[in-house]
Amino acid sequence: ARHSGPPDGGWGWMIVAGCFLVTICTRAVTRCISIFFVEFQAYFGQDYARTAWIHSIVDCATMLCAPLGSLISNHVSCQVGIMLGGLLASTGLILSSFATSLEHLYLSLGVLTGLGFALCYSPAIAMVGKYFNKRKALAYGIAMSGSGIGTFILAPVVQLLIEQFSWRGALLILGGFVLNLCVCGALMRPISLKEDCKTAPEFLEQNYVPETEKQDLKRMSICSPLIKLWPHECLCYCSWKEYDFLLMPGFMVLAVSILFMAYGCSPLFVYLVPYALSVGVSHHQAAFLMSILGVIDIIGNITFGWLTDRRCLKKHRYFCYLFAVAMDGLCCLFLPVLQSFPLLVPFSFTFGYFDGAYVTLIPVMTADVVGTSLLSSALGVVYFLHAIPYLVSPPVAGWLVDTTGSYTASFLLCGFSMILSSALLCFARLTKKIKRTHLRSLTGNTALKQQIWTNGAIAYSVTAELDQRNVEFLAVDTNSFSNR
């Protein structure tokens, strides 16, 4: 059945539960790969930069192929896409348990598992946006908290599995765990909204098709159903409309800021455990730092989602997002001076909270910019933009560690990148506000008037423009004028 708008409940809560499990099986598992970092480095005898490529390729493949996940979700089925992704991700992890070189891990754990995650992640998040409107931020907060809860639970579990069964056995068990993505896919019941299901006449009302062609297409669609041109034109139009948000100024600013934000946030999840070990923290305490980060991430997800749904903050989601990103950047700047477990614990609390906060608001802000009907395609592009920074930043950070012998330069670069992302959004919003204020002052000082009067058979229409100089005479009856 077609719904006039998102139902904000009902089966939507099962969609939230499914998305919650998807984020556990994708983002939490990706974060926990950093626990394997020291094991891979020791087993294969490689440096920081080469080992960091494993985590980079997983993240890059997940984000780079996000538009593919959206495409399958839009044109085949969200359920099929997520189930297929679960099978691919599980296969990649199982094959990784038999790896004999880093190159093997690049392909199996990096490319194959990352591709499987990509087919699951953005379609599941987009489904939440289709079922919720009034409580959208809260629904996303609950759904995205799976990343934090999963990290909190999986980090010590993965460390225990490595100790008991080696890294090969741990990867094999994770491969079986990730098969739960197939169950998540089964929960994603599709919903039909009026704004998603425009009829042919409604498409023709847009300015995309010239008026003369509209009439021809209307006649063909009504009188000649066997003609193949109309379906072709409609399909081309629909395909274009799925991505016309790329030209929106608000989306372009958001996209550029996402690039800097993604560059800054990725290395910390790769190097937090190795950094903690390098300053004398034990293996269990280092894994516990990831657990703390994960559980506080949950609080950030849910509390920020709930707060930004309140009437007082709903109109200020934009500034809440850039504040959270800036705070994470500041945390990265202070990290190099925190060289003991008691000092690293508050860092995990602070960074985890604001990480959960802005991650929750990414799909909410994207929906505010492009609308619900284009959310799946827009999220595919947004997560696609994470790909290159996710691919480049951990190896660059590893190269800086290998070159300088410390983590200071890597963490400072991450912090400044995230602060730049926040500053860019703030500057764009202030510029827009200044322009709006200037335009209002112009329209307030200069009246825009239209006067229409009739003198016999002659009708004059005079429009006073903003500069009061261009005056046009319209609707003049030329025949009557010549008779005078």
Side-chain angles (χ1 to χ4, degrees):
R2 185 181 301 179
H3 296 261
S4 59
D8 270 288
W11 190 258
W13 293 114
M14 294 302 296
I15 300 296
V16 170
C19 187
F20 175 85
L21 292 173
V22 168
T23 54
I24 289 177
C25 294
T26 56
R27 303 312 299 159
V29 169
T30 301
R31 288 180 178 182
C32 289
I33 289 175
S34 63
I35 297 175
F36 290 91
F37 187 94
V38 176
E39 300 294 329
F40 290 152
Q41 191 179 30
Y43 185 86
F44 295 107
Q46 300 293 338
D47 58 17
Y48 277 86
R50 284 179 58 83
T51 310
W53 277 105
I54 300 171
H55 194 283
S56 296
I57 295 172
V58 175
D59 264 338
C60 178
T62 301
M63 301 308 176
L64 190 68
C65 299
L68 178 61
S70 298
L71 185 69
I72 294 175
S73 174
N74 291 338
H75 296 284
V76 182
S77 168
C78 181
Q79 294 170 317
V80 171
I82 294 177
M83 289 181 179
L84 177 60
L87 290 174
L88 289 175
S90 177
T91 302
L93 285 165
I94 292 171
L95 290 177
S96 298
S97 66
F98 300 99
T100 55
S101 65
L102 281 183
E103 288 73 16
H104 187 160
L105 288 173
Y106 293 163
L107 292 176
S108 57
L109 186 56
V111 177
L112 191 57
T113 301
L115 175 60
F117 289 165
L119 298 184
C120 303
Y121 191 53
S122 58
I125 294 173
M127 284 294 290
V128 176
K130 288 183 178 294
Y131 271 86
F132 287 88
N133 184 24
K134 294 179 181 178
R135 291 177 284 184
K136 183 181 291 183
L138 176 61
Y140 271 125
I142 296 171
M144 305 295 280
S145 67
S147 176
I149 292 176
T151 305
F152 173 70
I153 297 173
L154 288 179
V157 170
V158 168
Q159 183 64 47
L160 183 63
L161 290 175
I162 292 173
E163 293 174 1
Q164 295 294 322
F165 305 105
S166 80
W167 63 266
R168 294 185 185 275
L171 285 175
L172 190 63
I173 294 171
L174 278 180
F177 173 73
V178 165
L179 274 176
N180 284 294
L181 285 168
C182 297
V183 179
C184 302
L187 294 174
M188 298 296 169
R189 180 187 298 171
I191 185 174
S192 179
L193 301 176
K194 282 187 177 180
E195 60 181 300
D196 298 330
C197 305
K198 291 184 178 179
T199 59
E202 289 176 307
F203 281 126
L204 293 170
E205 293 302 321
Q206 309 292 330
N207 294 328
Y208 177 76
V209 183
E211 189 64 35
T212 55
E213 295 183 20
K214 288 180 185 178
Q215 300 301 325
D216 295 338
L217 291 173
K218 283 180 180 178
R219 286 195 295 271
M220 284 192 300
S221 62
I222 296 172
C223 305
S224 306
L226 296 179
I227 298 178
K228 302 297 182 183
L229 180 60
W230 159 244
H232 173 71
E233 295 287 343
C234 185
L235 180 61
C236 292
Y237 176 77
C238 295
S239 299
W240 162 248
K241 288 297 291 181
E242 285 181 12
Y243 291 96
D244 62 354
F245 61 84
L246 293 172
L247 301 179
M248 294 181 181
F251 183 82
M252 287 191 283
V253 172
L254 178 64
V256 174
S257 72
I258 288 285
L259 293 174
F260 289 104
M261 182 274 293
Y263 182 91
C265 72
S266 180
L268 186 120
F269 292 101
V270 181
Y271 291 109
L272 179 60
V273 172
Y275 171 72
L277 295 174
S278 71
V279 296
V281 176
S282 68
H283 284 79
H284 286 286
Q285 287 178 327
F288 185 61
L289 287 174
M290 288 294 291
S291 295
I292 293 173
L293 193 150
V295 74
I296 300 303
D297 195 298
I298 305 163
I299 299 174
N301 286 143
I302 298 175
T303 58
F304 239 67
W306 181 83
L307 286 172
T308 52
D309 270 341
R310 301 307 94 196
R311 185 175 299 177
C312 58
L313 288 178
K314 196 164 188 175
K315 293 187 287 188
H316 304 291
R317 287 171 173 169
Y318 190 94
F319 291 103
C320 291
Y321 170 81
L322 63 90
F323 174 75
V325 173
M327 288 301 297
D328 264 2
L330 287 174
C331 288
C332 290
L333 294 182
F334 283 104
L335 183 57
V337 300
L338 309 177
Q339 300 189 358
S340 65
F341 181 72
L343 292 176
L344 288 171
V345 169
F347 166 82
S348 293
F349 271 89
T350 308
F351 186 90
Y353 181 82
F354 288 108
D355 179 74
Y358 76 74
V359 166
T360 295
L361 292 181
I362 287 176
V364 176
M365 288 185 61
T366 306
D368 289 344
V369 172
V370 305
T372 303
S373 60
L374 298 174
L375 181 59
S376 180
S377 299
L379 279 177
V381 174
V382 165
Y383 291 127
F384 170 82
L385 292 171
H386 287 66
I388 301 302
Y390 276 8
L391 178 67
V392 172
S393 58
V396 168
W399 176 79
L400 288 173
V401 173
D402 292 331
T403 304
T404 64
S406 74
Y407 291 84
T408 303
S410 301
F411 292 145
L412 289 179
L413 184 59
C414 292
F416 284 122
S417 180
M418 298 190 80
I419 291 173
L420 179 60
S421 172
S422 179
L424 178 64
L425 287 174
C426 185
F427 177 76
R429 177 52 64 94
L430 290 176
T431 303
K432 184 178 179 181
K433 195 171 184 178
I434 291 171
K435 285 184 178 180
R436 188 181 300 165
T437 304
H438 182 63
L439 182 60
R440 284 177 180 173
S441 64
L442 286 178
T443 56
N445 295 331
T446 308
L448 183 61
K449 301 179 180 178
Q450 186 175 30
Q451 299 177 343
I452 301 175
W453 68 88
T454 305
N455 183 7
I458 305 175
Y460 295 94
S461 175
V462 182
T463 301
E465 300 294 336
L466 293 175
D467 56 5
Q468 295 289 325
R469 290 176 297 182
N470 297 325
V471 180
E472 295 181 0
F473 294 90
L474 304 174
V476 178
D477 188 341
T478 54
N479 294 329
S480 299
F481 185 74
S482 61
N483 290 335
R484 289 183 61 190

